[in-house]
Amino acid sequence: MKTIKQRISYAVMALMAMGFTACTQNEDMAPTLKGQEINATFSVGGMQTRVNTLGNGKNWEDKDKLKVSIFTDYDPGSTTVLSFNGETWSRSGSFRWLNGYEQHTILAVYPSDMDFGKNNLQYDLQTDQSSEDKLKNADLITGYWYDVPWSDLITIPMKHRMSLVTIVYHVGTADYPNMDISEPQVYSKHNSVDFSRDQARGQFVMSTPKGNPAWVKAYKHDDGMFSAIVIPGSYIKDEVFLRFMIGDNIFNAKMKMPTDFEEGKRYTYKLDIGKDKVELTRISVDDLKGWDSNNEEELK
């Protein structure tokens, strides 16, 4: 016959076993994000995210594409292209969490034809930007995310990396009646630049631009304007910055003062052209406008 003490002991052990079983079942049932599709918002803060490069950049445009890579220190992960169809995003491949516990790195790059590795990216300036599509394809934007999976909905900060130059020009009608400029070009101090992944700062960091200077064929738009994207760099006073033609005549416009072009900024100039003068005046320097928290597009 069991004593009262033995019965109490068995009862306690039974309760402990039941508790252990419940814990085990809860652990087995605990949700894991491994293999789950990721819904991402690509947010640009105060920077223009593209896409409508010449506008405010508040909305993605139809057929815009991002190349996105996800990996961990021990898993090479995968790379996919995300395409926007005007309303929602679609994927050409997997965009999922690799596991539920390791730090994940997500790199996003626009345009989607850019080649990049886990630790570096090289940007080569496209010197023919004479159409809207060509201008947009020179518009480099990078995104970086580094954290452990904690949700299937995340925000990936994007950063505009080049400088946009916009020229508002006026041709003197008395000097050049019924004539307009042609073949506008903007001078870029460099034609190539490298980026390296800085995990501590959570971003791709631009190295000192390199390569030779280049003339960029600009895109004429909006009846009296042309624009081009250049690699950030430093210009000196009286350096030739613009080149264009009126009829058979070639014209140059020089910088009035030393100017440093920075990442993610738009530099707007007024260009007055007369028979005896070509005058270039800077109007403004702006951070390229971008999405705010009220108009981000969600990846679905």
Side-chain angles (χ1 to χ4, degrees):
M1 180 179 294
K2 295 182 175 67
T3 65
I4 294 176
K5 183 182 290 186
Q6 285 176 316
R7 289 176 181 151
I8 294 175
S9 177
Y10 292 155
V12 170
M13 291 175 65
L15 288 172
M16 290 176 63
M18 290 173 61
F20 178 78
T21 302
C23 289
T24 303
Q25 289 175 344
N26 287 337
E27 288 174 0
D28 291 340
M29 295 172 61
T32 175
L33 293 174
K34 179 180 179 180
Q36 287 195 24
E37 289 279 357
I38 303 169
N39 291 326
T41 297
F42 296 89
S43 131
V44 217
M47 298 296 184
Q48 177 168 320
T49 172
R50 166 78 176 128
V51 165
N52 104 39
T53 298
L54 295 173
N56 291 326
K58 291 184 178 180
N59 301 296
W60 293 93
E61 291 181 334
D62 189 28
K63 297 182 176 62
D64 282 333
K65 295 181 179 181
L66 295 173
K67 182 180 287 185
V68 182
S69 180
I70 181 169
F71 55 90
T72 70
D73 290 341
Y74 305 101
D75 190 327
S78 62
T79 298
T80 187
V81 173
L82 310 178
S83 304
F84 189 61
N85 66 7
E87 296 182 0
T88 59
W89 293 87
S90 61
R91 304 174 176 85
S92 66
S94 174
F95 186 41
R96 303 171 181 270
W97 295 119
L98 304 175
N99 57 58
Y101 54 89
E102 280 186 79
Q103 295 276 358
H104 283 56
T105 298
I106 300 176
L107 305 178
V109 174
Y110 176 92
S112 63
D113 57 3
M114 287 290 299
D115 290 326
F116 62 93
K118 292 182 177 180
N119 296 300
N120 59 75
L121 179 153
Q122 178 175 316
Y123 173 83
D124 295 318
L125 181 66
Q126 299 184 42
T127 55
D128 184 358
Q129 301 175 20
S130 56
S131 69
E132 183 177 10
D133 287 341
K134 290 177 180 178
L135 174 71
K136 289 180 176 182
N137 209 51
D139 190 2
L140 177 67
I141 295 173
T142 64
Y144 185 103
W145 190 93
Y146 180 72
D147 205 344
V148 293
W150 54 272
S151 172
D152 63 348
L153 177 61
I154 61 173
T155 295
I156 299 176
M158 304 287 289
K159 184 177 182 180
H160 190 111
R161 310 313 299 261
M162 296 295 109
S163 302
L164 175 62
V165 177
T166 295
I167 308 298
V168 182
Y169 69 88
H170 173 72
V171 179
T173 55
D175 297 322
Y176 302 101
N178 301 316
M179 299 184 74
D180 194 8
I181 70 170
S182 63
E183 301 182 32
Q185 299 179 59
V186 179
Y187 187 62
S188 177
K189 296 302 294 283
H190 310 279
N191 65 3
S192 181
V193 65
D194 293 328
F195 297 84
S196 59
R197 183 165 69 104
D198 188 327
Q199 189 165 294
R201 295 165 63 180
Q203 59 180 275
F204 268 128
V205 178
M206 180 187 288
S207 66
T208 301
K210 61 184 181 181
N212 298 320
W215 282 100
V216 178
K217 295 179 182 179
Y219 169 54
K220 288 180 65 176
H221 58 93
D222 296 319
D223 190 22
M225 302 172 70
F226 63 87
S227 295
I229 287 169
V230 298
I231 293 176
S234 298
Y235 295 80
I236 62 176
K237 184 176 183 290
D238 293 328
E239 186 168 20
V240 176
F241 181 53
L242 304 178
R243 190 164 65 187
F244 55 92
M245 298 184 68
I246 298 180
D248 295 328
N249 298 318
I250 299 175
F251 294 80
N252 294 318
K254 299 179 179 180
M255 281 287 190
K256 278 189 173 182
M257 62 186 70
T259 303
D260 293 327
F261 280 14
E262 300 177 23
E263 293 182 42
K265 291 192 176 180
R266 183 204 324 261
Y267 296 80
T268 305
Y269 290 83
K270 181 176 69 171
L271 176 65
D272 293 308
I273 308 158
K275 188 172 183 179
D276 300 317
K277 73 168 185 176
V278 176
E279 187 173 17
L280 183 67
T281 306
R282 191 168 78 187
I283 299 173
S284 66
V285 179
D286 303 307
D287 288 338
L288 298 177
K289 305 301 181 185
W291 290 339
D292 58 36
S293 59
N294 295 320
N295 54 24
E296 294 172 348
E297 293 286 349
E298 182 179 322
L299 171 64
K300 298 178 180 178

